[in-house]
Each structure stands twice: as C-alpha cells, then as structure tokens.
Amino acid sequence: MTPPPISNDSEAIGPPLADETGGGVSEFNLKHIASLARLHFEEKDLKVFESQVAGILKFVDELRKVNVDGVEPTSHPLPLTNVFREDEIKPSLNVEEFQKNSPQVRGRFFEVPKVIEDKS
Amino acid sequence: MNSKYLTTIGLEVHVQLNSKTKIFCGCEIRFGAPPNSQVCPVCLGLPGVLPVLNHQAFRLGLRAVLALRGTPSKRIKFDRKNYYYPDLPKGYQISQYDCPLGQGGALEIETEGRLKKIRLTRAHLEEDAGKLMHDISAAASHVDLNRAGTPLLEIVSEPELETPEEAYQYLTHLKAIIKSIGVSECNMEKGHLRCDANVSVRKNASDLLGKKVEIKNLNSFKAVKAALQYEIKRQTEALEKGEAIPQETRLWDDLKQKTLSMRSKEEAHDYRYFPEPDLVPFFVTQEEIDRELASLPELPKEKAERFARDYGLTTYDAGLLTQSSGIADFFEDCASGFPGHKTIVNWVIGPISAYLNEASLEFEALKLAPETLIRLIKLVESGQLSFQTAKEKVFPEVLKTHRDPEEVMKEKGLAQVSDEGALDAWIAEAIQAHPKVVSDFKSGKETAAMFLVGQVMKKSRGTANPGKVQELMKKKLKELV
Amino acid sequence: MNSLADKTASELSELYKKNSCTQKEILDSLTQAIHSKDGKLNAYVKFEQTRPIHRKPPATKARHQNIGGQASADGDLRSPLWGVPIAIKDNICVEGQEASCASKILQNYIAPYNATVIEKLLDAGAVIFGRTNMDEFAFGSSCETSFYGPAKNPWDLARVPGGSSGGSAASVASRTAIAALGSDTGGSIRQPAALCGIVGLKPTYGRVSRYGLIAFASSLDQIGPMTRDVRDSALLLNVIAGYDPKDSTSADVPVPDYTSFLGQSIKGMKIGMPKEYFKEGLSKEVGEAIKSAVKKLEGLGAVVSEVSLPHTEHAVNVYYIVAPSEASSNLARFDGVRFGYRNKSAQTLKEMYEKSRGDGFGAEAKRRIILGTFALSSGYYDAYYLKAMKVRTKIKSDFDEAFKKVDVLLTPTAPSPAFKIGEKTEDPLQMYLSDIYTISANLAGVPAISIPCGFSKNNLPIGLQFLAKPFDEGTLFKVSHAFEQATEFHKQKPEEPSS
C-alpha cells in the first residue's frame, strides 16, 4: 500500500476530505458503512436506521460552524507522554481453559469458516 | 528487457525486532511454540485489555532509524488501522500513520560498479498479526495467535530502485546493517525479514509514474528478484500490446514462479486510521539520540572500507565479508593471527559460503572457531593436505563434528603424499596400465600426461600431492621418450 | 425495617470494628433484599449464578482476635472496605465471572482476569458482590438497551433509573447494594446517580485504571464509585484510584486520603455557575432545586458567581462523533472468532462476521458503530473526527479558563428527573440530550460528582453536579460533603417496590 503521509507538525492528518466546503448532511450510504463495519442489517431495518443515523449526522453537522483555525486536536485529555513497560516476560494464558469461551476450536486453534485465498 | 521502458521499484521491508517480549504485552516471543501458547488477554484482544509499549522494542526501532540515518519524528504517536481478519485479534492493528518513529534516511548500494544512494521514506513500529492456516482441514481455516503482537519495524524506501538486481542489493545491504546493530536476527526462515514490493513500468521518463502494482508474499531475497523480473516483463509486454496496467495487489507464487492477481475486492480498503487513544505520544530527546548513536557499532559499509584499507582486500571481497557481522568478526579473528589474509578470504567466500548456501544456514550456526580454520589452512600451506581434500573431505567433517582438522586428516588417511618413493610406485603403475596413453604422449600429445596424473590422484584417493605428481610424471615420461 | 443492607460502607466498617456484625450477616441481608426487590428492579444480571468473591488474607484471623476494634498491623483491617460488598457493573472484568456488557454478543463470556479496580478492591478486603445491569456496552442513558431488559427506577418502577450504569444506581438506591462501581463515558455514573438519588463520581481521566473495563470510548471512559453518601464515595476512591502500569493512560499522581476533605468548611469557596447550563431544555423543577441548593451553599459561606463555558453548546455534537468513532473500533474485537456469540449458519468468513455482529449487537450499538465507522471513513475523517477533536480542545480550554476564576463549577446533572420507560426509545437524539450537562466533563477529562439536591413533586430525586480541576476530587468531596451535611436528601429512600 502507499505509505501514509508524514506530518511534520504535531497535528493528526486523516484522509483528504472530499467536500470540505459542503454544508449539508454528507453523503451517507448505510450499506457501504455496514459492510465496512461487518454488520448485517435486515432489509426491513435499513430504512429506519438510515434515517436515524442521517438525523444524528445532521445534528452533529452543526460543528461545521465552529471555527477551529490553528486549534490542535485533543486525543488525550491528559498530557501524558512516554509511557513504557520493560521487556520482561509475563506468564501466558492457559488457552485450553480460555477456549471454553470460544465458539469453535480445533485443538489449540481457533477455527473460522474456510478463508478462500484471495487470488484468481 | 526493452530499454525504452523505465522501471520504478519501492520496497517495504518488515523487520522483526528481537525484544524478548511482544510489543504491547509480556508474552514471550518464541518461534515454533505450540499454537496459542504464547498468548495473553492483551494479545488475544480480549475485552477490557490495554496495550503498554515495550521500551526495548522502541529502543531497537530507534537504533535502526539512526543507523539508517533517519530522524525520529518530533512527536511520535500510534494509530489504529482498522480492518477485519481472523489473524487480527482486535479488529485493528496498532501501527503508525502520520507521526512514525523515523523519517527519511538512506542506504547506499553498488550497482554496475558505482555507488547509488537509495533514500528511505519512513520507518514505523507496528504489531504483527497472527497466523491463519488453511491446510489443517478442508472445511475450515485455523488461527494461531502466537505471532500476534510481535514488534515489527516497517522500513519503506522511496521508489528509487530501477532493477531487480538493485532491489536485491538494497535488501542485502539493509539486512547487513540491521543485523550488525543487533536489532533483529534477520533470520529469513523464521520470517524475521519480510518484504512487499511496489513496481511500475512506464514508456519513458517524461511519462507520469506508471500504475503501481504491489507484490506480496515475497519470502526470500531470491523471490523478490524473481518476482520483480517476472512482473517487469509482464507489464512491459502489456504496454507493448497497448494494454493498460491496472493498479492492483498481486501475490507471488514461488512454485509457479509467477505473480497472480488478487481478485479485486468488493470495496477498496478503508482502514479508518485514527490516533490510538490507549497509548500516549512519545518524544525522543537529543540525549537519547546521542547515546544511541554513540553505541552503534561500526556499520557494514564503514567496516568494508576499513577491511579494504587495513587488510589490503579488494572492495568486492571486503563488501562480501561485511554483510554479516558474524562473518566479519570471524575474518578479523582469523586475520589477527595469520598473515595470509587473501587465503582466509578465499576460504570464507569460497567453501564456507558455499556450505552455508547449500544448507540454508546462518554463519553463526556453524560454530566454527577461527583457530580451526587457521589450522586447516596451515595443513594445506605446509603441504600436508591438498586444498581439494581439505575442502571436500576434511572441512565438512570438521564442521559436523567440531574436531581438529589434523586429527580428521590422520584418522581418514587423507594426509597428502609427497614422498617420491610412494609417488613413483603409483606413477609406474599408471604408466604400465596405460601403454596406449604413453604412446600418445610419445607421439607428441602432451595432454596425455594429464590423464596419467589423474590416474595417480585416483589411485591415491586424492592424497597424492598433485604438483609433485605432475612434476614426477613429466620427468618419467620424458625419460621414456 | 432497618437491615444491614441499609447501612453505608462506613457504617458497616464501624460495626465490624465493634464486632457487632459478621460478613455473612451482611451478605445474607443483601441477598434477602435482592430476592425481595430485584424481581421488579432488574438491577442485577444473573445474580443467582454470581458467587461473591472475597480474598482471605492470612491476616483475616487476626482481625477477629483484635478486640477493641483498633486498627492493627494487618493490612485488611486498616481498610475501611474490609468485608464490604461492592456491586460491579457488567462491563468490568472479574476473573471467573461472566462479563457481558448486557449484550447478547458477550453472553456467557467468562472473563479470565481481574480488572485492576477489582484487584484493588480485593486487596482492600472488599467483597465483589453481584453484577449490575446496564445499557448494552454502556450505550444509553436509560438502561433500556440492555439485552437483559431494562432496570427500573426504585422511586417509580415505570421510570428509567438512568444509564448507562442504571443497575448500579438502582441497586444502591434501593438498598440492594451497599455501594457499586459504575463507568462514565458521557455521564453514565452521574446521570443515573441523579435519577436514583445517590452519589456518583466520575474521577479525573487517568485517576482510576481502565484496565479490565470493557472499553466504550477509550479517551472518555472512567470507572467511579456510586454510593449512598459522599463519605462512601471518598472511601471507594481511596481504594480504586492510582497509577496502573497496565494502563498507559493512567496518571502517576499521588492519591491523597480523600476522607480528609470531609467535614471541612467551604467558607469562601468560589463556586461558578456556567450560564450556558441554565438555558432552554432545563426542566423547571430541576432549575428550582438547583436554585435552592445555591442558597444553601451561600448560607454555608460559599461565594457563587456566574461563569461562562462558551463552547458548551457543541459538547453533545463533539461527543457523538468522538465516542462512537472510538467505540466502532473498540467493538471490532467482537467478531465471533475467539470468544462470544457466533452465527453458526454462516458459510463464508464475511458472512460469519456480519451475521454474528448483526445478531449479537442491539439496535443502539449498531447505530453507534455505524455512526463511528462513517465518521472515520475515507473522505469524512477531517470533517467529523478531526474537527470534533479540535472543538474538544476548545471545550477543554473553556474549563481551564473557568478554573482560573473559581474552585468548582455547579450545574444540574440531568435536564429533568427520571423519564418514563419507553419515552425516548424511538428518538435516539432525544435520548442523547439526556447527557447534555455531563458530557463536557468527559471531553475535558475533569472530575465531576452528582449528589442529591431535591425531589420533584412526583417524589423523584434531582441531582446537582460539581466539577473541579483535574485531580482535584478533594474539592468535590469537600463541597459535596458540606452540602450533604446541611441537607437530608441523601437520607431519603424509596419505598419497597409494591407487587
């Protein structure tokens, strides 16, 4: 993949915004977002959800009015820095015991539906 | 390759950092452990857990950045890269997006006899994913999370490599540096070094950069070279036919020796990067940088220059010797007690390298003591052992059993025979057994003598001193004429 | 009836010291109260299957030999929480107990380790006693999104206890718990505390370790005590606060003895009332209760003035971008691979993910995951997430400015007393506005407490909120305790729920 951009200031940069000046509720496509979030929706629920989420988005879109020129984003409420742990070995978990929680296992492995290798 | 086409290659190399424990938890990193035995709530991504950064992994990453002449970001932070895959326990990978550990840097490679500088874009820390197995059963895939959370440094080059050979050179030099500074064992078999390549081909310099194709699943340097050769050919042929090259990700198939297109996804990846709220930002002070720089050992390139200067080696030999600090140290140890530097070099880049290649071993695995090699060399130089026998019979045995070369030589009766009495007997026998060859020689066919020398060597199981045999044989034959 | 279940933690501690009761008597009394009341309240989750946990240090024996009740050298005896049962919100991990976040997707999930707060409580000799109901994954302000059905408000069973820590609030208020832990991401401790008439504290971000709290929004979440009075709140914070090497965001700031702030005079204390909190949307009854509380505080010598937090109006907008964004990522691990619910009929991997998550999450969880996924998605990150993080900075600096002028801020906790079950479930936005006064504290990371300050004409509790500078919980306890001592609201208790 393309290496992400590098920031020289301390500001976080995200992907570019398609429509910076747009004022209204952004294009919102529930099916696309649901697929990204791996959420299945019943066909009958789609409409209600879509209008609810669109309503909330319209509400949060109020933020567009706020001028934040030159304001740094706050990702952490506290100014903590350089928190490390030392390179010391800690005991591992007993996985066989833990696997009582697992929906499907084979031996010590977790089992998932066959992943088809993604090549043609 | 058609020369009117230009190729641009960029490499992304994942280096496994050799900390004792994982990057965000205290699980031991151990290759080959039973599945899911090196896991804890943190690296299993269980509800409620939090990551805490391993200081050693951070230090090792910083060391690599500095050795590659990069600069730490002013403010270093971690980000979440969100996607779903069974080997990714949390549904996101903790990586670095816009404030990576290191920025810039460069690496020098030799290409067509000249030095070329390849700039680096960045180097960032991230956690490795687990392993997904497909061959345990036909009906399901299986997840082993031992590897999940292993610290990786991803080193991204600028797209400044132009040939597969340059890519190979780049990887060789990168590996040598990373290994020499103790940041990674760089064991390819264990996946300590993994590579993705980006390659694009365009018609001529004035064209925009061509569509980029990413190649994954490159598990050896050889595979990188072969995959790039294949891919450049494929793209060039497509351009020749006037076809467009789609931007895509392709997998290298090492068995078929070709790249295969990964089916275009239903949706493009949207990793939704955002700052990891469970980790705080990191700052590196100038003191830390200075301390780390001061503790860096001599880098391979510096070492090669010194070897060429101090031991009178060619640039080529010095370059080969310094690609592994194990080999370089071994050479120096040998050279300190033995003046025949060129002989040592010949042994190292000859029989020793050949043995390593064949057995797919790292030099360290040989556990070869410098004195052992010197003793072997001395046996050859003193004429007690032929070079051929030393290389083919004694040396492999010494490596296998770690015994003294002379002992091996004696036990196997491989000592070189230079005694004229013994040699004369063999020579007489050969002459007697091959009258036709002797008459050939008499009629002026000089090469016939070599056949008879070969017969003597055979008879002596290689122990006869070949120079001496030749000398005596010629003398004997001339007497017959 | 004045049973042991009616006692506060500090009262129980006194009884223990005098050897006037045993741990068994207390647990029996609570169990009895739960049996008689919780069928109606639904404050606990799977109570019968949840065994109390108590660490028995060797020093336990010494305690019983210690006639006279004075603290001896053994650690547990010095702890005022020794033998005190604490109810735990269902999103905090206790080793060997189910931790379901009131969600189908985590039903029957047994946590294999203890949250740091649980370790600290056990070390202090407390008894981990029962798990409390909540909004699914703490998404809600009414406890109605729980997979186990809504918890009820003990003051009126037709009304919500607030949320998301509704079960903790209802149990403490109804005397089916002595004290409880809750978690607060946008008001989830304080709003239910206000609606149920108890004391709820959200500590400074980083004051209490989040390790073992099943994350909702990592940069906002804090665990805090929910108690019947201010003293118990201080006692609990004494135990659970402090640096944790397992949580990179926990602060290495010394923990004072918070009980030392109790009983201090508030004469001359400067209290600010942010004018933005007293605009439309605030119910008349709550407004009046706050007004008389202000009079009371002035009577105690506090100096009350108006201040401004100009970006308050944007707090809810910011919150409903930041919190769902972080949540959408935090909840990605519920994928049916290693633990939790899996839809077994799914054939492909993608279908397994989508159906497991589709079946496993309730409607509000889905709404927030969708909202957050969208706010982080390519092309929208700058307009939503990044923008919200920048406005967050402005909200935070509003507080910095205000605390240059005053010691604490006073606001209502919730716009109205408890609303009816079902009243807001159809309109998510209305539900979100229940947190309008509590959200800013999480965005700014400052500590805030809700304490009872009155009752509506329907006899529903009303709460007021104090906010202070980061790590200044002491001042919150000081002013809250002074107010509590001068009033009787905290002594009111709901009637037994009638059958």
Side-chain angles (χ1 to χ4, degrees), chain A residues 11-20 24-30 32-42 49 52-53 55-57 59-68 71-80 83-85 93 98-99 101-104 110-116, chain C residues 108-110 112 205-206 219 243 248-251 314 316-318 320-321 336-340 342 344 347-350 352-355 357-358 361 363 366-367 369-371 373-374 377-384 386-394 396 426 428-429 432-433 443-445 471:
Chain A
E11 189 163 304
I13 314 176
L17 176 65
D19 174 21
E20 184 90 62
V25 176
S26 319
E27 285 289 314
F28 171 68
N29 177 337
L30 179 58
H32 168 66
I33 298 298
S35 169
L36 268 183
R38 298 291 186 270
L39 273 182
H40 173 76
F41 282 93
E42 294 296 329
F49 263 94
Q52 280 172 338
V53 176
I56 300 163
L57 284 173
F59 169 72
V60 298
D61 266 349
E62 290 288 308
L63 277 188
R64 288 181 186 255
K65 289 189 236 155
V66 188
N67 181 355
V68 289
V71 177
E72 293 288 315
T74 295
S75 337
H76 292 91
L78 287 183
L80 294 171
V83 179
F84 293 108
R85 47 170 273 272
L93 190 74
F98 173 78
Q99 282 180 337
N101 279 308
S102 304
Q104 213 170 312
F110 300 107
E111 188 164 278
V112 294
K114 191 80 180 173
V115 180
I116 294 118
Chain C
N108 302 322
Y109 170 73
I110 307 297
Y205 184 82
S219 77
Y243 172 67
S248 305
T249 65
S250 84
H314 306 301
V316 182
N317 310 54
V318 170
Y320 279 96
I321 293 171
V337 174
R338 290 142 294 133
F339 56 84
R342 177 187 291 191
K344 299 259 169 136
Q347 297 295 308
T348 66
L349 180 69
K350 189 160 194 261
M352 189 276 280
Y353 282 140
E354 292 182 339
K355 292 207 164 150
R357 291 166 59 80
F361 288 127
K366 285 183 191 159
R367 265 193 292 277
I369 292 170
I370 291 293
L371 201 54
T373 305
F374 177 70
S377 69
S378 172
Y380 298 100
Y381 178 91
D382 285 23
Y384 288 101
L386 185 59
K387 182 77 182 259
M389 294 302 241
K390 287 181 176 177
V391 181
R392 185 178 183 181
T393 306
K394 294 196 141 195
K396 196 165 173 282
E426 294 307 304
L429 210 48
Y432 294 176
L433 292 171
L443 292 173
F471 301 101

Side-chain angles (χ1 to χ4, degrees), chain C residues 19-290:
Chain C
N19 276 336
S20 330
C21 75
T22 66
Q23 189 180 303
K24 185 174 183 305
E25 285 165 359
I26 291 170
L27 298 189
D28 286 349
S29 171
L30 271 181
T31 305
Q32 205 186 344
I34 291 166
H35 283 156
S36 86
K37 298 176 194 175
D38 202 55
K40 300 253 171 354
L41 287 170
N42 200 27
Y44 281 92
V45 167
K46 297 191 178 172
F47 177 75
E48 301 303 334
Q49 288 108 292
T50 315
R51 292 164 59 93
I53 300 175
H54 187 217
R55 218 169 249 171
K56 291 216 168 82
T60 309
K61 219 171 152 193
R63 204 204 81 82
H64 293 293
Q65 295 161 349
N66 176 28
I67 321 273
Q70 282 308 302
S72 67
D74 50 284
D76 63 327
L77 186 61
R78 257 189 258 142
S79 164
L81 288 188
W82 194 93
V84 176
I86 309 288
I88 307 296
K89 189 177 177 178
D90 197 28
N91 60 353
I92 298 172
C93 294
V94 176
E95 187 178 344
Q97 288 191 356
E98 187 172 321
S100 80
C101 287
S103 177
K104 179 179 175 180
I105 210 160
L106 270 183
Q107 221 199 343
N108 302 322
Y109 170 73
I110 307 297
Y113 71 97
N114 278 329
T116 297
V117 289
I118 299 300
E119 285 293 322
K120 284 175 178 269
L121 284 174
L122 288 170
D123 283 346
V127 182
I128 303 302
F129 188 81
R131 301 187 65 80
T132 57
N133 202 355
M134 58 185 282
D135 280 294
E136 182 184 11
F137 282 103
F139 298 150
S141 312
S142 68
C143 226
E144 290 166 287
T145 67
S146 167
F147 175 67
Y148 300 106
K152 315 278 169 60
N153 191 314
W155 295 89
D156 179 348
L157 294 175
R159 291 177 189 269
V160 303
S164 65
S165 312
S168 289
S171 63
V172 172
S174 66
R175 274 61 180 164
T176 56
I178 306 294
L181 289 187
S183 70
D184 190 315
T185 307
S188 280
I189 287 176
R190 292 159 288 154
Q191 183 258 16
L195 269 48
C196 290
I198 63 164
V199 176
L201 171 78
K202 181 204 89 77
T204 309
Y205 184 82
R207 176 77 293 183
V208 177
S209 168
R210 295 186 292 117
Y211 189 79
L213 168 66
I214 301 179
F216 162 5
S218 312
S219 77
L220 303 164
D221 294 342
Q222 269 291 288
I223 294 171
M226 301 178 76
T227 56
R228 300 215 194 104
D229 66 15
V230 175
R231 177 171 295 277
D232 276 9
S233 190
L235 285 176
L236 263 165
L237 188 63
N238 272 353
V239 170
I240 64 172
Y243 172 67
D244 177 12
K246 289 180 181 155
D247 177 359
S248 305
T249 65
S250 84
D252 199 356
V253 173
V255 181
D257 175 5
Y258 289 112
T259 60
S260 70
F261 294 91
L262 308 178
Q264 290 187 15
S265 159
I266 58 163
K267 207 159 178 193
M269 181 184 271
K270 285 179 276 182
I271 298 177
M273 293 179 69
K275 61 180 183 195
E276 293 79 8
Y277 282 64
F278 296 91
K279 289 182 172 171
E280 77 267 37
L282 180 64
S283 81
K284 212 172 137 223
E285 283 184 305
V286 174
E288 275 163 9
I290 299 288

